[in-house]
Amino acid sequence: MGNTVTRDDFEWVYTEQPHCSRRKQILAKHPEIKSLMGPDPQLKWVVTAMVLTQVLCCFLVRDLSWKWLIFWAYMFGGCINHSLTLAIHDISHNVAFGNKDAMCNRLFGIFANLPIGVPYSISFKKYHVDHHRYLGGHGLDVDVPTHLEARLFSSPARKILWLFLQPLFYALRPLVVNPKPVGRLELLNLMVQLAFNAFIVYLWGLKPLVYLIAGSLLCMGLHPISGHFIAEHYMYLSGIETYSYYGPLNYITFNVGYHMEHHDFPSIPGSRLPQVKQMAPEFYDDLPQHDSWTRVLWDFVFCDSLGPYSRIKRTFPLAKQD
């Protein structure tokens, strides 16, 4: 259990990412799946309720001791904030207001971002497009760890540290792998977030802001919900790069566990992804899948064949070369 991982490089393949061809095959046999595409009218109300819940919690935790503040940040507030990041994921696909109202989706993403404490929504959208279009693309898909991460975090203890620091690496990796200019909406995201943070501190002091930000960092690090970061695309079986999870945590994560379905049909809201599997069971039932995100994390840490190198990578003509 103290050994380092056995892989010394990513799994390089010379095939196209599989989801475009799968989408064509599935729609050819099940055109009714198109009826699931389009905005989810309930999403904006669910997200608004979550944001207001966190504002209420800011009031409630204002006088807690630091020990209990961090406890509730990890056990409750962080779970809501992590769920909000996955709502932002859905919103980035324009499923809150539809493709015709793209700006409404961007602004609503900024609103959903407020309890997270760190501006994130607009930048996520900018890079997440590449994750779908160029899955595993060298120099393009910033979801894939860097060589430096893979070399440094190769033993169980260091993999635990890497999982704990996931929010930091997700924030900094794009600046190294595929830096892009900062846009006006990102500046708006930053200014709105800073104003909200300052307003919370003005009303109730520093502790509520710590509650929000600590919850975000802790629950996007070493936490059962964060198992989805690893479960989605890390290669637990040779040659398989996307996995679904159909367990109960989908109820609080906007069905992000239906990840094969999501990559096959990014324009279908998370709330309708289970219907994709029901309509086309022959394309999903026999695929490898995870049954526990906690088990995913345990295996990732203690299995010598798993680590940050356990990702499929491919090159695209437009990718920057090292």
Side-chain angles (χ1 to χ4, degrees):
M1 291 175 67
N3 294 339
T4 58
V5 296
T6 55
R7 295 191 65 91
D8 59 4
D9 199 358
F10 300 103
E11 182 85 358
W12 289 90
V13 299
Y14 303 94
T15 57
E16 294 292 328
Q17 64 110 328
H19 297 285
C20 291
S21 58
R22 280 180 52 84
R23 186 179 309 124
K24 293 177 181 178
Q25 293 170 11
I26 296 170
L27 287 177
K29 191 168 182 181
H30 296 281
E32 68 273 15
I33 285 178
K34 291 182 180 179
S35 67
L36 302 176
M37 299 176 182
D40 176 0
Q42 301 301 318
L43 180 61
K44 56 182 175 293
W45 304 117
V46 173
V47 170
T48 299
M50 294 168 69
V51 171
L52 295 178
T53 297
Q54 283 293 72
V55 173
L56 174 61
C57 287
C58 286
F59 170 76
L60 295 175
V61 305
R62 70 196 188 284
D63 295 323
L64 285 182
S65 68
W66 288 107
K67 175 181 68 175
W68 285 109
L69 185 90
I70 298 301
F71 173 83
W72 286 114
Y74 185 80
M75 297 298 295
F76 182 74
C79 296
I80 294 181
N81 282 3
H82 196 138
S83 185
L84 281 170
T85 69
L86 298 171
I88 290 171
H89 166 254
D90 248 19
I91 295 165
S92 76
H93 290 284
N94 293 335
V95 301
F97 296 96
N99 289 321
K100 292 182 179 179
D101 291 314
M103 182 56 70
C104 289
N105 286 283
R106 301 293 77 74
L107 296 177
F108 189 62
I110 292 174
F111 171 74
N113 197 148
L114 293 177
I116 295 170
V118 179
Y120 152 87
S121 176
I122 300 300
S123 297
F124 175 81
K125 162 68 176 177
K126 183 169 66 175
Y127 285 101
H128 192 61
V129 170
D130 290 342
H131 172 62
H132 278 270
R133 187 175 298 158
Y134 310 114
L135 181 63
H138 177 63
L140 294 167
D141 184 0
V142 299
D143 188 63
V144 180
T146 62
H147 277 288
L148 180 61
E149 290 172 70
R151 290 168 183 157
L152 287 178
F153 301 99
S154 56
S155 69
R158 284 181 279 172
K159 283 191 278 186
I160 290 174
L161 178 61
W162 185 74
L163 292 172
F164 184 77
L165 296 175
Q166 276 293 287
L168 177 66
F169 287 113
Y170 268 95
L172 297 181
R173 194 183 297 141
L175 305 179
V176 176
V177 174
N178 188 17
K180 297 183 179 185
V182 175
R184 292 181 180 179
L185 284 177
E186 285 174 287
L187 293 176
L188 177 63
N189 196 173
L190 172 63
M191 290 186 292
V192 170
Q193 189 64 57
L194 290 176
F196 175 81
N197 291 356
F199 186 60
I200 291 294
V201 173
Y202 172 77
L203 286 178
W204 299 309
L206 182 62
K207 284 186 176 181
L209 183 60
V210 173
Y211 162 81
L212 293 176
I213 296 177
S216 298
L217 296 177
L218 291 171
C219 282
M220 285 189 278
L222 195 59
H223 190 278
I225 297 177
S226 293
H228 78 86
F229 287 129
I230 304 301
E232 291 164 359
H233 297 293
Y234 281 78
M235 196 173 56
Y236 278 67
L237 293 176
S238 179
I240 308 297
E241 60 185 312
T242 307
Y243 301 79
S244 283
Y245 155 83
Y246 301 120
L249 289 178
N250 279 301
Y251 290 111
I252 60 171
T253 57
F254 295 92
N255 285 326
V256 74
Y258 287 76
H259 215 67
M260 179 65 81
E261 292 84 347
H262 170 63
H263 271 264
D264 288 345
F265 300 101
S267 61
I268 294 179
S271 61
R272 300 181 193 141
L273 289 176
Q275 294 173 254
V276 174
K277 186 175 184 292
Q278 292 168 6
M279 289 180 175
E282 70 275 23
F283 287 94
Y284 297 102
D285 285 353
D286 295 330
L287 295 178
Q289 58 190 251
H290 293 294
D291 57 16
S292 167
W293 282 340
T294 303
R295 177 61 185 270
V296 163
L297 293 174
W298 179 271
D299 289 345
F300 182 82
V301 169
F302 294 110
C303 182
D304 295 342
S305 64
L306 294 170
Y309 267 139
S310 302
R311 290 292 296 263
I312 286 178
K313 290 193 74 173
R314 49 176 60 85
T315 57
F316 289 86
L318 70 166
K320 301 188 293 290
Q321 298 299 317
D322 292 338

